[in-house]
Amino acid sequence: SQTIHQWPATLVQPVGSPLSLECTVEGTSNPNLYWYRQAAGRGLQLLFYSVGIGQISSEVPQNLSASRPQDRQFILSSKKLLLSDSGFYLCAWSVGLGTEAFFGQGTRLTVV
Amino acid sequence: DQQVKQNSPSLSVQEGRISILNCDYTNSMFDYFLWYKKYPAEGPTFLISISSIKDKNEDGRFTVFLNKSAKHLSLHIVPSQPGDSAVYFCAASGGGSQGNLIFGKGTKLSVKP
């Protein structure tokens, strides 16, 4: 069966520090991969998605970037965190675009 | 511009009664709709979906209804249980180049014993 792992579960980082959140999927090949952010009162906002290695599409211009160095690995990064980057970050995968997406447990990021 | 709207931020229901969660959408190109359930500090879990060729899909206590002419869907939970207390997200896809899931803001359901 397919599983998705996302870490860390919580993270407190100072403003201006770098960020790296990692997500891996097991049990499937060539998944579509996603990074979402849940901010208070804003639901689930799609940040990035990837349909293959090295292929990244950004939905919202911001201080973050994403990379997919391997088929089942998706990384969310920032060179310098802002206070506004605080939120709950979720990685997800799906078989096809627009089909059921399966989420990881999320990372609570607090920028202080 | 919100393409998927959940206008009720919260809903409170007595255990054993029916919970009805509503969702409206604006993009007539959407052809696939999903409901997710989310507990605090966890990722959302997929509940049930419906294609635009159907108007109803049922899975145990959960039924989703789709009214394409009104661009409205609803999730019915019968009977409601305290363990159903969570935030429920509606999502849609298929809007032309918008292949990805577009989520609503969620409705927090509280089921009281």
Side-chain angles (χ1 to χ4, degrees):
Chain A
S1 64
Q2 300 89 0
T3 55
I4 179 168
H5 303 279
Q6 183 182 344
W7 66 92
T10 60
L11 190 60
V12 180
Q13 292 283 97
V15 168
S17 64
L19 172 73
S20 181
L21 301 181
E22 189 162 343
C23 172
T24 59
V25 180
E26 296 176 359
T28 186
S29 295
N30 197 30
N32 293 300
L33 296 172
Y34 310 86
W35 279 110
Y36 283 86
R37 176 169 59 199
Q38 184 186 13
R42 297 197 63 185
L44 295 171
Q45 182 184 33
L46 179 63
L47 302 176
F48 301 96
Y49 69 94
S50 171
V51 300
I53 296 174
Q55 300 179 62
I56 308 294
S57 296
S58 174
E59 289 291 301
V60 182
Q62 59 212 307
N63 185 42
L64 302 168
S65 62
S67 61
R68 184 170 178 174
Q70 299 180 45
D71 181 45
R72 289 169 288 177
Q73 184 186 26
F74 206 23
I75 298 172
L76 182 69
S77 304
S78 174
K79 292 182 179 177
K80 288 186 179 181
L81 284 169
L82 306 172
L83 286 174
S84 58
D85 291 324
S86 294
F88 192 56
Y89 289 83
L90 291 154
C91 181
W93 73 274
S94 71
V95 172
L97 287 178
T99 63
E100 291 87 349
F102 300 95
F103 287 83
Q105 288 296 294
T107 297
R108 171 67 62 190
L109 171 66
T110 305
V111 182
V112 296
Chain B
D1 177 29
Q2 257 190 288
Q3 297 188 66
V4 178
K5 300 177 185 179
Q6 293 178 257
N7 292 319
S8 298
S10 63
L11 175 68
S12 184
V13 171
Q14 206 68 32
E15 180 180 7
R17 306 294 292 269
I18 184 171
S19 295
I20 301 176
L21 298 127
N22 293 303
C23 179
D24 297 293
Y25 60 95
T26 58
N27 191 335
S28 57
M29 296 287 285
F30 286 143
D31 58 10
Y32 193 58
F33 305 89
L34 308 88
W35 285 95
Y36 283 81
K37 174 181 180 180
K38 185 184 180 301
Y39 293 118
E42 293 185 9
T45 54
F46 169 71
L47 266 180
I48 192 169
S49 63
I50 188 166
S51 163
S52 60
I53 62 173
K54 292 185 169 183
D55 54 17
K56 177 182 175 181
N57 189 26
E58 193 171 354
D59 184 2
R61 296 186 298 113
F62 301 91
T63 303
V64 57
F65 295 91
L66 175 62
N67 182 335
K68 290 187 290 294
S69 61
K71 295 192 181 70
H72 176 84
L73 65 154
S74 59
L75 175 68
H76 293 209
I77 307 174
V78 183
S80 301
Q81 300 172 355
D84 296 328
S85 297
V87 176
Y88 289 79
F89 289 98
C90 169
S93 70
S97 60
Q98 284 269 15
N100 294 305
L101 296 180
I102 306 297
F103 284 84
K105 292 186 177 182
T107 297
K108 184 176 182 180
L109 173 65
S110 299
V111 180
K112 300 188 183 306

